[in-house]
Amino acid sequence: MASSILFKHALFFILSVLATSYIAQASDPNILADFIVPTNFSTPIDGNFFTFTGMRRLVANSTNPPNFKATKATMVEFLALNGQSVSMAVLQFPAGGVNPPHTHPRSAELLFVVEGSMEVGFVDTANKLYTQTLQLGDMFVFPKGLVHYQFNADAKKQATAISAFGSANAGTVSAPVTLFATGIDDEILAKSFKTDIATIQKIKASLATKP
Ligand SMILES: *[C@@H]1O[C@H](CO)[C@@H](O)[C@H](O)[C@H]1NC(C)=O
Ligand SMILES: *[C@@H]1O[C@H](CO)[C@@H](O)[C@H](O)[C@H]1NC(C)=O
């Protein structure tokens, strides 16, 4: 009897440990220092290391570019983010601009509309589509790893959003680029999309030439 209770306690303990380590692995790994300085970093560390000025030019210019543009501040552009499990991006949409379906394999995305309005949507693993029309000041969360998009449906006004990520390097997998601009064989794509090779080649050609 006592041994059976002990066994239950042991089992519960093991399951708790497994669950905890699973949760820990669901985000960027923990670091064993306050912050990570690249080994080849030559200048002494001061406040500048923790500062990113790459968004200044966006704030200085109130006109969005003619095509959708994402300006990122990940650990690639902003070295101090390495190990901190956070990053950001500024998403600029011209009137009618779209951020095509894509996923971020390593993080959820918390989007905050700071100018205009936008249509957003994501598809879960049961192929259910969730959509919303966001107004200025609204936030929307795209769950980690799920295919999603944003679209500025307004024909006259531009729109801008700021997105936060729970990874220093969330990664972006663009559905159109991944499928049609990486050299996957035309026949494989034609069969997969239940269409002909000419249609696949047409899509590949427009992706290669149009922004
Ligand atoms: C350090 O090394 C990385 C990768 O090798 C390189 O991209 C970066 O420019 C280097 N930085 C400096 C300050 O030398
Ligand atoms: C502002 O950005 C727009 C769109 O990219 C560009 O056409 C324009 O030249 C920029 N204006 C200034 C002052 O840099």
Side-chain angles (χ1 to χ4, degrees):
M1 198 67 185
S3 73
S4 145
I5 288 167
L6 252 182
F7 175 74
K8 275 184 194 159
H9 282 176
L11 191 63
F12 180 72
F13 175 73
I14 290 164
L15 287 175
S16 307
V17 169
L18 284 176
T20 313
S21 66
Y22 175 76
I23 290 163
Q25 281 165 15
S27 62
D28 288 1
N30 281 326
I31 57 172
L32 300 176
D34 297 342
F35 48 85
I36 297 171
V37 179
T39 47
N40 61 351
F41 203 78
S42 46
T43 47
I45 298 303
D46 60 13
N48 290 319
F49 179 69
F50 303 97
T51 308
F52 183 70
T53 59
M55 300 297 180
R56 279 184 189 175
R57 63 197 162 79
L58 302 190
V59 180
N61 185 346
S62 59
T63 306
N64 282 356
N67 296 295
F68 165 76
K69 189 174 183 208
T71 307
K72 299 174 190 174
T74 72
M75 61 177 272
V76 176
E77 298 81 18
F78 186 6
L79 295 174
L81 296 189
N82 187 13
Q84 304 302 329
S85 306
V86 290
S87 59
M88 292 192 105
V90 175
L91 312 180
Q92 296 176 291
F93 302 80
V98 68
N99 183 6
H102 63 281
T103 77
H104 303 293
R106 290 181 286 276
S107 174
E109 171 175 359
L110 180 58
L111 175 139
F112 180 26
V113 181
V114 295
E115 180 185 24
S117 61
M118 59 190 71
E119 305 288 325
V120 298
F122 71 85
V123 180
D124 72 11
T125 56
N127 291 322
K128 180 172 159 61
L129 173 68
Y130 299 79
T131 62
Q132 188 57 277
T133 301
L134 300 178
Q135 301 302 320
L136 181 64
D138 290 351
M139 283 192 195
F140 191 84
V141 63
F142 300 99
K144 181 175 176 175
L146 299 184
V147 173
H148 62 279
Y149 61 84
Q150 298 106 20
F151 173 52
N152 177 15
D154 197 301
K156 296 203 177 95
K157 293 185 204 140
Q158 65 178 30
T160 306
I162 296 172
S163 280
F165 300 88
S167 166
N169 192 9
T172 297
V173 177
S174 163
V177 172
T178 299
L179 293 168
F180 297 104
T182 55
I184 298 179
D185 193 83
D186 290 352
E187 192 185 347
I188 293 169
L189 289 173
K191 283 187 172 165
S192 304
F193 284 85
K194 305 190 194 304
T195 186
D196 50 68
I197 286 179
T199 304
I200 297 298
Q201 286 174 342
K202 199 174 159 192
I203 296 171
K204 282 187 173 178
S206 13
L207 267 183
T209 54
K210 294 175 195 155

Short mmCIF file of all heavy atoms in Angstrom, two decimals, residues 44 56 63:
data_model
loop_
_atom_site.label_atom_id
_atom_site.label_comp_id
_atom_site.label_asym_id
_atom_site.label_seq_id
_atom_site.Cartn_x
_atom_site.Cartn_y
_atom_site.Cartn_z
N PRO A 44 33.88 48.77 -26.01
CA PRO A 44 33.36 48.45 -24.67
C PRO A 44 31.82 48.55 -24.66
O PRO A 44 31.26 49.36 -25.37
CB PRO A 44 33.96 49.55 -23.79
CG PRO A 44 35.00 50.23 -24.60
CD PRO A 44 34.69 49.99 -26.03
N ARG A 56 14.35 54.91 -36.60
CA ARG A 56 14.25 56.37 -36.62
C ARG A 56 13.78 56.90 -37.97
O ARG A 56 12.95 57.79 -38.03
CB ARG A 56 15.61 57.00 -36.31
CG ARG A 56 15.92 57.04 -34.84
CD ARG A 56 17.23 57.76 -34.63
NE ARG A 56 17.68 57.62 -33.24
CZ ARG A 56 18.84 58.07 -32.80
NH1 ARG A 56 19.69 58.66 -33.64
NH2 ARG A 56 19.17 57.93 -31.55
N THR A 63 5.27 58.89 -44.85
CA THR A 63 4.72 58.20 -46.02
C THR A 63 5.25 56.76 -46.08
O THR A 63 6.46 56.55 -46.12
CB THR A 63 5.11 58.93 -47.33
OG1 THR A 63 4.72 60.29 -47.20
CG2 THR A 63 4.44 58.31 -48.53
#
